[in-house]
Amino acid sequence: MRRFLILFVILLIDRSIDAQQPIDPPVPCAKDQDCSELSKNQKNPTCKGGFCACLDDQQQLRNCSSLQRASQQEKAIVSQIYHRCKLDVDCNANNSFCNISRSQCDCKKGYVPSTKKEQCLEVARGLSFPCTEDKQCLAVQANTTCQNMQCVCINGYHVVDNVCYRNASYNGICARSEECNHINNAYCTDKKICECAKDTKIDNTLTNCIPLAQTIGDYCTSDAHCKKIEDSICVDSKCQCAEGEGKHFAKEITKCIYNRANGEPCEHDYDCYQPRSDTNSTDDYVNPLQCLGSICSCQDDYRTDNEKGICMRAGSPMVVPVLMILSSIVCGGLYLQ
């Protein structure tokens, strides 16, 4: 009797264990795609004889376990870029496909995998293209980065014709003129040095080669920009003849020369010059002197102020009193007669 009770208890325990084991029926299928939802732990699921078959540890085909269907979270992981696949449907990332030659998910042409391999990002079509990661820019252009959601050149580089070139410094080594392009009017010489183009000079910022001044009043940032005008200097960002040296600009010879005053010897009209300050003129200034008989003399419509020795326009306040005195003398003489 005692043995019977022991056997009965053992039988109950065995049935209890069997009852706790879940039923694991085979997974029905019509095509391989129907088996794609199975767990990644089940290798190479395929549809065989109407049921999903998987390779076991001995590489033998067995019915796949229906208890190991992938959860939604696991399916997302399986569908990431570079994970194993058999069909395109196994790759859920946007713009991805199943690369059969590698049996893994890959990005379509024109796309690159994100850093976390969770999605395929469109390759940039050029600088200023919208982006979220550097690799979108680097896929088509070296020395680029994604900044403020746009592809741009990295620090130390500049763009020329949608290509990023290294910033070569002024008088620095260069390989091609594009590297000097960030300096306005600069180029790469045959000696592979960044220099300013002909008739230009670098400014104080070393970022701009500005044209040499052609005449007094042209823009400048240093005396070097005024070198085409002999004896001129840069004052208040304009090329001017040096003050305090008694010089004026002779445009006929593009040169600052010493003034020749009224009554002094001369060879050309431009030798003779009377400073504007001496004339007290508020109108557009006209030099009142000319070279006449190798002597600087007043032009027509001007008269010599004997007291100051300068030329004054006829009818000016300093000349009128003289004319009035002469007129009075003449009229007085006639009256006495």
Side-chain angles (χ1 to χ4, degrees):
M1 183 67 179
R2 186 174 181 179
R3 286 184 177 181
F4 176 77
L5 289 174
I6 293 174
L7 290 173
F8 180 73
V9 171
I10 292 174
L11 180 62
L12 288 176
I13 293 174
D14 184 60
R15 287 186 176 181
S16 175
I17 293 174
D18 289 340
Q20 292 177 3
Q21 291 179 351
I23 299 174
D24 188 10
V27 180
C29 63
K31 54 185 181 297
D32 289 345
Q33 183 177 342
D34 298 334
C35 305
S36 63
E37 294 184 355
L38 295 173
S39 170
K40 64 180 180 180
N41 293 327
Q42 302 189 82
K43 301 177 182 179
N44 300 326
T46 56
C47 188
K48 295 288 186 181
F51 295 97
C52 291
C54 298
L55 291 175
D56 61 14
D57 294 338
Q58 286 74 39
Q59 301 299 309
Q60 299 294 320
L61 277 176
R62 305 290 185 189
N63 284 340
C64 298
S65 171
S66 61
L67 299 178
Q68 294 191 38
R69 288 179 180 270
S71 65
Q72 290 298 318
Q73 182 178 4
E74 186 181 11
K75 284 166 61 178
I77 295 175
V78 171
S79 66
Q80 287 180 348
I81 310 304
Y82 301 145
H83 279 273
R84 295 186 62 80
C85 64
K86 294 194 67 175
L87 303 168
D88 288 346
V89 71
D90 299 334
C91 307
N92 294 336
N94 290 338
N95 302 303
S96 65
F97 73 106
C98 183
N99 189 333
I100 299 176
S101 62
R102 299 179 180 177
S103 297
Q104 67 179 24
C105 294
D106 211 340
C107 289
K108 294 179 179 179
K109 185 178 181 180
Y111 292 83
V112 291
S114 63
T115 300
K116 294 184 178 180
K117 310 293 188 298
E118 294 177 346
Q119 56 182 322
C120 291
L121 306 174
E122 186 175 5
V123 169
R125 300 172 192 169
L127 293 173
S128 299
F129 192 82
C131 60
T132 56
E133 294 190 15
D134 290 347
K135 58 174 55 184
Q136 291 175 263
C137 313
L138 291 169
V140 292
Q141 177 64 255
N143 305 310
T144 55
T145 184
C146 184
Q147 184 174 312
N148 297 326
M149 307 297 287
Q150 283 190 333
C151 290
V152 297
C153 296
I154 61 175
N155 289 336
Y157 284 75
H158 62 278
V159 59
V160 180
D161 295 332
N162 210 37
V163 177
C164 293
Y165 291 95
R166 179 182 66 89
N167 291 349
S169 60
Y170 179 70
N171 273 339
I173 297 175
C174 56
R176 52 196 303 167
S177 288
E178 285 83 355
E179 294 180 357
C180 310
N181 195 264
H182 65 108
I183 303 173
N184 190 33
N185 291 323
Y187 74 108
C188 189
T189 67
D190 293 338
K191 296 180 180 179
K192 302 303 179 183
I193 299 294
C194 276
E195 292 184 359
C196 288
K198 183 180 179 181
D199 290 335
T200 65
K201 278 287 183 180
I202 195 70
D203 66 4
N204 294 335
T205 66
L206 302 181
T207 60
N208 188 25
C209 293
I210 64 175
L212 294 178
Q214 302 297 315
T215 186
I216 291 297
D218 282 354
Y219 175 76
C220 61
T221 62
S222 68
D223 291 347
H225 295 130
C226 308
K227 74 172 189 176
K228 294 191 73 173
I229 306 171
E230 190 173 338
D231 293 329
S232 67
I233 58 175
C234 186
V235 179
D236 296 330
S237 299
K238 292 182 179 180
C239 289
Q240 301 179 26
C241 294
E243 294 183 2
E245 295 185 7
K247 292 182 178 181
H248 68 279
F249 175 65
K251 63 180 180 180
E252 294 85 352
I253 56 176
T254 318
K255 182 179 179 181
C256 289
I257 61 175
Y258 284 102
N259 302 338
R260 300 288 180 87
N262 187 19
E264 292 185 347
C266 59
E267 294 182 6
H268 309 280
D269 284 342
Y270 56 73
D271 292 332
C272 306
Y273 186 80
Q274 180 174 294
R276 182 189 185 110
S277 58
D278 293 345
T279 310
N280 293 323
S281 173
T282 57
D283 301 327
D284 291 339
Y285 182 65
V286 176
N287 181 28
L289 289 174
Q290 62 181 338
C291 186
L292 188 63
S294 299
I295 297 295
C296 290
S297 307
C298 295
Q299 295 193 40
D300 295 341
D301 298 330
Y302 287 85
R303 299 290 182 270
T304 299
D305 177 359
N306 293 325
E307 182 179 345
K308 294 185 177 182
I310 61 175
C311 296
M312 301 295 294
R313 187 180 294 277
S316 65
M318 299 184 68
V319 175
V320 171
V322 175
L323 295 177
M324 291 178 65
I325 293 172
L326 292 175
S327 177
S328 298
I329 294 174
V330 172
C331 291
L334 292 174
Y335 177 77
L336 291 174
Q337 291 178 357

